Amino acid sequence: MSEVFEGYERQYREISAALSRKCAAASALDGEKKKQKLPEIQADVQESESLIRKMDLEARSMQPSVKAGLLAKLREYKSDLNNVKGEIKRLSAPNAQQATREELLESGMSDTLTASSDQRGRLMMTSERLNQSSDRIRESQRTVFETEEIGVSILQDLHNQRQSLLHAHTTLHGVDDYIGKSKKILASMSKRMDRNKWIVGGIIATLVLAILFILYFKFA
């Protein structure tokens, strides 16, 4: 319960107690003295009604669990105030039967207004719950959208990584081809070098034989 509501309630109880005392005192008076007392009592009634309205506004701004108890308490305060109003009508009316009839009519109207207020309060609570449910649904939808966006982003990243891996695989395959070609070229060069060695060896051997042959005929 808020401090504002407690302050209004404290003021109402003080005025309500004073009203009860003033009504009891006025009922013991006659004639002009009673009439002089009535404006003061009616002023307190108006102040009580103002405090009840303020408490009602404050109660409806609270959480539903707290609001229900406060509204029930306010209904009791309104009923007590209606009883005081009926007593004031009896005091101010010259005809007791007329006062009683007016009190019954006012009591019926009060019950109708109280029921209407209760229905309005239930409708407001239902509307508030629906609004809360709508907020939760919107929050769930927002979460789903965010999750979907994250999923799309992850899939896009995976696609990009796949493309990178395919490109790397293609590059490695090209490197393998170059390495194979290089091996073939080196093998061919090695064969040529071996063949050149044999040719050079044959030439050297031929030259050596020719020199030996020349020397043999020269010194023979």
Side-chain angles (χ1 to χ4, degrees):
M1 188 184 300
S2 69
E3 295 181 359
V4 177
F5 186 92
E6 290 178 348
Y8 292 150
E9 186 178 25
R10 187 166 49 253
Q11 294 178 36
Y12 171 78
R13 287 180 176 178
E14 292 174 356
I15 295 175
S16 179
L19 267 174
S20 298
R21 292 193 297 269
K22 291 176 182 179
C23 287
S27 63
L29 299 175
D30 293 325
E32 191 65 29
K33 291 183 178 180
K34 182 186 291 187
K35 290 182 179 179
Q36 292 176 356
K37 203 73 173 173
L38 289 175
E40 182 180 352
I41 295 174
Q42 290 173 348
D44 289 342
V45 169
Q46 292 177 356
E47 181 65 22
S48 298
E49 290 177 335
S50 176
L51 289 170
I52 286 176
R53 285 195 296 270
K54 291 178 181 178
M55 284 190 288
D56 186 77
L57 290 174
E58 185 66 22
R60 293 185 186 281
S61 66
M62 296 183 185
Q63 295 295 329
S65 57
V66 180
K67 178 168 59 178
L70 296 181
L71 291 177
K73 185 182 292 187
L74 283 174
R75 286 193 293 271
E76 295 179 2
Y77 290 160
K78 291 175 183 178
S79 178
D80 294 340
L81 188 59
N82 288 329
N83 293 334
V84 173
K85 288 180 180 180
E87 181 66 24
I88 293 172
K89 283 189 177 293
R90 283 195 297 272
L91 292 173
S92 59
N95 189 338
Q97 292 181 352
Q98 181 182 356
T100 303
R101 185 167 58 253
E102 290 178 356
E103 180 182 355
L104 290 173
L105 290 173
E106 183 176 353
S107 177
M109 291 295 295
S110 175
D111 292 340
T112 302
L113 291 174
T114 301
S116 178
S117 177
D118 293 342
Q119 291 177 356
R120 185 168 60 253
R122 286 194 292 270
L123 287 173
M124 290 179 66
M125 290 178 64
T126 303
S127 178
E128 183 176 352
R129 289 173 183 171
L130 288 174
N131 290 333
Q132 291 176 354
S133 299
S134 299
D135 292 339
R136 286 194 291 269
I137 290 172
R138 283 194 292 271
E139 183 66 21
S140 300
Q141 290 177 340
R142 187 178 64 82
T143 303
V144 169
F145 291 151
E146 291 179 353
T147 304
E148 184 178 356
E149 290 177 356
I150 293 172
V152 171
S153 178
I154 291 173
L155 289 175
Q156 185 66 35
D157 291 340
L158 291 174
H159 177 73
N160 293 335
Q161 291 177 7
R162 180 175 180 274
Q163 294 297 324
S164 298
L165 291 173
L166 289 174
H167 180 69
H169 180 268
T170 302
T171 303
L172 290 174
H173 184 70
V175 171
D176 289 339
D177 291 341
Y178 288 132
I179 291 174
K181 292 178 179 179
S182 299
K183 286 182 178 179
K184 290 179 180 179
I185 293 171
L186 290 174
S188 177
M189 292 176 64
S190 177
K191 289 180 181 179
R192 289 179 181 177
M193 290 176 66
D194 291 339
R195 187 168 57 252
N196 291 335
K197 286 180 181 179
W198 284 107
I199 293 171
V200 171
I203 293 171
I204 292 173
T206 302
L207 290 174
V208 169
L209 290 175
I211 292 170
L212 291 175
F213 186 76
I214 291 170
L215 291 174
Y216 174 75
F217 282 102
K218 185 178 179 180
F219 294 103

